[in-house]
Amino acid sequence: MEEKTIGLSNSEWHIMENLWERSPKTATQLVKAMESETGWAKSTTKTILKRMEQKRYIAYEEGEKAREYYPLLKREEVVESETSSFINRIYNGSLGLMVNTLVKKEEIPDDEIEELYRIIKEARRRRR
């Protein structure tokens, strides 16, 4: 079975980050947050919320005074999907090519190199 790719737009990421941080949130709370973070007008936020509902990224419940929005997607699943899509699209599926590109481009701190070693060791351990 083919895995469904979750492709959030930059606008949708802003909303999702807000909801992952704390939810549920009312449309008014999201409008205020987006206005302060991005400068969006109320209508822009409302349009994006409606589009995200249709895509089943978010949902709402009728609260006492207003709709309360919450995410239907877990942050981890979106990050995994976006990462896989990025590696496949940009590096033709080669994690090694991606890491090589990053290593050539920037000096990687020792603690991050150690973290990479730890990740590789764990991946090998799980394969056995």
Side-chain angles (χ1 to χ4, degrees):
M1 189 167 121
E2 191 176 311
E3 221 177 277
K4 182 187 169 211
T5 301
I6 303 166
L8 296 180
S9 69
N10 287 339
S11 302
E12 292 166 344
W13 268 104
H14 284 291
I15 301 273
M16 291 302 286
E17 288 288 359
N18 239 271
L19 291 174
W20 286 324
E21 183 181 305
R22 187 181 64 78
S23 63
K25 285 187 177 174
T26 64
T28 301
Q29 290 171 318
L30 288 165
V31 164
K32 285 180 182 175
M34 293 302 102
E35 183 180 51
S36 113
E37 289 175 26
T38 65
W40 295 347
K42 176 181 179 178
S43 60
T44 302
T45 300
K46 294 257 187 165
T47 298
I48 294 167
L49 287 172
K50 184 139 192 79
R51 185 174 64 208
M52 292 176 74
E53 282 177 62
Q54 292 167 346
K55 292 180 178 180
R56 292 194 167 96
Y57 293 168
I58 63 171
Y60 66 86
E61 289 181 359
E62 292 294 344
E64 230 175 87
K65 296 183 180 181
R67 289 180 176 177
E68 296 180 333
Y69 290 88
Y70 58 92
L72 292 175
L73 304 172
K74 293 182 179 151
R75 188 178 203 294
E76 299 77 28
E77 73 180 311
V78 176
V79 168
E80 286 175 13
S81 176
E82 293 273 1
T83 301
S84 292
S85 173
F86 172 77
I87 292 169
N88 287 328
R89 193 174 67 252
I90 305 298
Y91 296 101
N92 203 26
S94 172
L95 182 60
L97 180 58
M98 184 189 82
V99 172
N100 190 41
T101 301
L102 293 172
V103 169
K104 283 181 180 177
K105 179 84 174 139
E106 297 187 27
E107 189 170 316
I108 300 175
D110 287 343
D111 61 327
E112 289 189 23
I113 291 171
E114 290 303 318
E115 178 69 5
L116 287 171
Y117 277 131
R118 188 195 63 70
I119 292 167
I120 291 167
K121 285 180 189 174
E122 177 64 21
R124 277 195 176 142
R125 187 190 64 73
R126 281 184 292 180
R127 293 183 103 181
R128 294 183 182 152

